[in-house]
Amino acid sequence: MTHDPTDLAAEIQRLCALSGIKWSRYPKGTLAAWVADMDLPTAPVITEALRGLVERADFGYNFSAHQQLPSAWAEWMERRHGWRPEEARVRVVTDVLQAVDLALMFGTRPGDSVVLLTPVYPPFFRTVTGIGRRIVDCPLEPGTWRLDVERLEACIDSSTRCVLLCSPHNPTGRVFSAEELEAIAEVAERHDLLVISDEIWADVVYSGAKHIPFAKVAEGRDVRWVMAHAASKAFNLAGLRCAMAYFGDAEIEKRISELPAHMLGSVSAPGALATLTAFTEGEPWLAETVAFLEEQRDYLVGRLRAELPEAGVTMPEATYLAWADLRAYELGDDPAAVLLERAQVALGSGPDFGQHGKGFARINFATSRVVLGEVVGRVVDAVRR
Ligand SMILES: Cc1ncc(COP(=O)(O)O)c(C=O)c1O
């Protein structure tokens, strides 16, 4: 097993000593199962590479990892996902949302509307409205979280310019099928919509499911698209700020190229090195980690289904997040708020994921069995209370 401490108090003490937001936001004694960071240390090859920088105090201007990233990422995408980006067009950005912001900024105009397949990753809402675009809320099929193509079609009007896709999908853990992605591509082509595909979860996919990059589906179609990806979720590197962007739409790419050189900032040497090491040497660790996460997923969903039979818990096909429908237990619109109070467990708050998230909570299961067991135990007790 990848991360198997047995002493709950010692493990919580280790986690609380970390400086990230996950374990420091809530009062002492609260178990953190909210933000999408893992409690597992990253791959030792990455820690070793970063240790090298620190030991040499190697902090001067340094673009060497940065320059190697486009080809390393191209190989990663081809090997794992069957699509090879054109290296010259790959951009290294600080984070996935920067790529999404750029695509929205240059691919749509003020007042245009953008389709979100809800419930969805909360920052998407602000990303769209923050630059004066409007949200079209297109709910996935409740329970199965499949795309309803007729509903998507019905959501589109003359102001619609874009579909902002989260694939695989946070918070439901869905891996969209080829048919669903084809349907989105077909609708986008017919209505001339830009598709922005956030594929940050592409590498945390469980047995039986297969992630398909939107780029593959778009091939041979007259559809404009942008994709963003990162090693940060799969390798637990979110604080290092490094992501990959591919502006499949030539006009957007051109507009970005015309920006002043330093306007977008740039990725730090540690961020680039960690990401490069993930793509070049991290695959064996990732395979083990995804297998471990799959066991955690099965344990969590199994226990919730057995001990809270009225809850609707979808089995995630990807991500380390479980989306739980707790409406039957009458905990109000925001069960996470009630559970924080009653059980000292911090979960993701359902309503943050859109209006269809009322009565739901998101549980991060990327932790050791000893912590996850305590999280589930507290949630179950508090819900039954
Ligand atoms: C779907 C999705 N996109 C983007 C992000 C954030 O990525 P970044 O920090 O690279 O912007 C997350 C983080 O959990 C996510 O789940």
Side-chain angles (χ1 to χ4, degrees):
M1 192 177 280
T2 307
H3 182 62
D4 188 24
T6 49
D7 182 337
L8 178 62
E11 176 63 355
I12 290 175
Q13 198 179 10
R14 177 187 78 83
L15 292 165
C16 289
L18 301 174
S19 58
I21 59 171
K22 186 176 182 187
W23 284 86
S24 61
R25 173 156 296 178
Y26 294 99
K28 197 162 181 287
T30 306
L31 296 179
W34 61 290
V35 71
D37 279 325
M38 291 201 262
D39 291 342
L40 323 180
T42 191
V45 280
I46 296 177
T47 314
E48 271 311 303
L50 294 174
R51 186 173 292 127
L53 278 187
V54 171
E55 278 171 1
R56 295 189 301 273
D58 195 356
F59 305 134
Y61 288 115
N62 177 352
F63 304 104
S64 84
H66 194 293
Q67 283 157 357
Q68 295 171 67
L69 268 172
S71 68
W73 185 61
E75 275 164 33
W76 178 270
M77 291 308 292
E78 183 173 37
R79 190 167 69 245
R80 292 181 60 91
H81 303 297
W83 168 68
R84 189 173 181 99
E86 208 182 300
E87 284 169 36
R89 298 187 63 176
V90 175
R91 278 182 181 271
V92 183
V93 291
T94 61
D95 54 61
V96 160
L97 285 179
Q98 185 182 48
V100 172
D101 276 347
L102 286 166
L104 283 171
M105 181 77 81
F106 294 123
T108 64
R109 282 182 301 231
D112 285 351
S113 42
V114 176
V115 177
L116 298 183
L117 301 178
T118 60
V120 79
Y121 177 59
F124 277 9
F125 295 93
R126 194 70 193 101
T127 292
V128 172
T129 56
I131 56 162
R133 277 50 165 176
R134 291 181 298 144
I135 291 167
V136 180
D137 185 330
C138 180
L140 294 167
E141 202 55 60
T144 64
W145 312 114
R146 288 187 60 81
L147 174 76
D148 180 335
V149 187
E150 281 174 24
R151 186 173 294 149
L152 173 62
E153 193 76 60
C155 284
I156 293 166
D157 66 19
S158 58
S159 75
T160 314
R161 290 281 175 279
C162 177
V163 178
L164 174 49
L165 189 61
C166 179
S167 169
H169 189 257
N170 171 4
T172 65
R174 269 304 314 287
V175 173
F176 292 114
S177 65
E179 292 72 37
E180 289 170 294
L181 294 170
E182 291 282 356
I184 293 170
E186 196 276 319
V187 169
E189 186 172 22
R190 197 149 30 79
H191 294 276
D192 190 23
L193 308 179
L194 169 70
V195 177
I196 305 173
S197 189
D198 171 347
E199 303 186 15
I200 198 168
W201 288 103
D203 296 298
V204 187
V205 172
Y206 302 116
S207 11
K210 175 98 185 94
H211 171 70
I212 303 170
F214 188 78
K216 260 181 102 167
V217 175
E219 259 162 28
R221 285 185 184 273
D222 186 14
V223 57
R224 296 178 302 125
W225 57 274
V226 167
M227 81 94 89
H229 174 258
S232 56
K233 293 296 124 187
F235 289 90
N236 205 24
L237 302 171
L240 290 176
R241 318 310 294 140
C242 179
M244 311 304 296
Y246 196 89
F247 296 93
D249 180 72
E251 177 58 23
I252 299 177
E253 170 59 37
K254 179 169 167 290
R255 299 278 302 276
I256 296 169
S257 308
E258 288 165 357
L259 291 172
H262 294 277
M263 186 172 253
L264 301 177
S266 63
V267 169
S268 73
L273 179 64
T275 305
L276 178 67
T277 310
F279 292 149
T280 52
E281 299 176 58
E283 218 163 355
W285 177 89
L286 182 61
E288 245 181 64
T289 300
V290 171
F292 169 76
L293 292 171
E294 185 161 334
E295 287 172 17
Q296 300 300 78
R297 174 200 70 166
D298 293 347
Y299 169 80
L300 171 69
V301 174
R303 271 196 70 184
L304 289 176
R305 286 181 177 169
E307 296 172 44
L308 296 177
E310 308 290 315
V313 189
T314 315
M315 182 66 87
E317 298 165 297
T319 80
Y320 33 81
L321 310 165
W323 185 236
D325 178 356
L326 297 170
R327 287 174 296 180
Y329 291 97
E330 298 183 356
L331 301 169
D333 284 351
D334 187 5
V338 176
L339 294 169
L340 183 62
E341 178 81 21
R342 279 194 204 165
Q344 284 80 52
V345 175
L347 306 181
S349 181
D352 288 353
F353 294 78
Q355 55 174 322
H356 310 288
K358 286 183 185 161
F360 286 74
R362 192 191 73 175
I363 307 173
N364 178 342
F365 56 84
T367 190
S368 56
R369 182 60 59 89
V370 70
V371 172
L372 190 58
E374 180 70 13
V375 167
V376 187
R378 287 196 197 181
V379 166
V380 168
D381 284 353
V383 169
R384 284 179 178 159
R385 217 179 289 161

